[in-house]
């Protein structure tokens, strides 16, 4: 499958196998195959990945703002192997559930310190 990364992947919503939003594609990572041909290896999601892609002062500000929420580990994007993508249209559809991907440090902080404190938040969606 041949795609133009900047037009067809970046800033698209990531949707899990159950139709739930996971995040959005903020950057991608390439690797070299055994034959020396580059291939799309990983989708990156989260403010750390977006900040690095944007670059400059604004990018640094995005990363620093996100890092303020996370003190227990380095700021790292959610990494989704491209092999988990089933299709790309107006969104990027994944073949796994959101909970099987893990969560970004910022999402964990928001859930722990904000969302879980909202009355009834544990019953949301169920």
């Amino acid at each position: 499958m041949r795609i133009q990364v900047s037009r067809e992947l970046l800033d698209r919503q990531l949707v899990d196998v159950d139709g739930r939003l996971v995040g959005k594609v903020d950057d991608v990572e390439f690797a070299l195959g055994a034959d020396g041909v580059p291939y799309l290896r990983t989708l990156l999601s989260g403010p750390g990945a977006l900040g690095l892609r944007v670059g400059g002062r604004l990018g640094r500000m995005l990363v620093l703002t996100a890092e303020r929420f996370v003190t227990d580990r380095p700021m790292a994007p959610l990494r989704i192997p491209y092999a988990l993508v089933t299709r790309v249209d107006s969104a990027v559809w994944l073949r796994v559930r959101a909970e099987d991907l893990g969560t970004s440090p910022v999402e964990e902080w928001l859930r722990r310190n904000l969302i879980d404190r909202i009355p009834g938040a544990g019953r949301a969606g169920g």
Side-chain angles (χ1 to χ4, degrees):
M1 167 175 24
R2 185 177 175 161
I3 59 173
Q4 291 183 348
V5 172
S6 63
R7 193 179 77 202
E8 296 187 31
L9 285 176
L10 295 179
D11 299 321
R12 300 277 172 131
Q13 291 291 328
L14 291 160
V15 183
D16 80 353
V17 70
D18 296 323
R20 291 180 293 174
L21 295 178
V22 174
K24 68 183 185 72
V25 179
D26 292 310
D27 206 350
V28 296
E29 183 177 83
F30 289 91
L32 289 177
D35 56 1
V37 175
Y39 67 94
L40 180 57
R41 177 171 53 189
T42 310
L43 304 177
L44 305 173
S45 180
L50 179 60
L52 292 174
R53 186 180 107 208
V54 169
R57 186 176 292 164
L58 177 60
R60 285 192 303 275
M61 187 176 72
L62 285 169
V63 172
L64 291 172
T65 301
E67 285 178 344
R68 288 183 56 97
F69 292 111
V70 182
T71 57
D72 56 343
R73 62 182 164 147
M75 189 68 210
L78 177 62
R79 302 174 63 81
I80 302 170
Y82 192 71
L84 297 180
V85 172
T86 58
R87 78 176 193 266
V88 177
D89 49 30
S90 62
V92 177
W93 297 82
L94 306 174
R95 67 178 79 244
V96 296
R97 290 192 161 99
E99 53 269 6
D100 296 334
L101 296 171
T103 55
S104 73
V106 173
E107 184 180 341
E108 287 178 10
W109 186 92
L110 288 170
R111 184 174 294 133
R112 185 174 59 244
N113 294 289
L114 183 65
I115 296 170
D116 286 347
R117 295 179 183 200
I118 298 171
R123 295 188 309 267

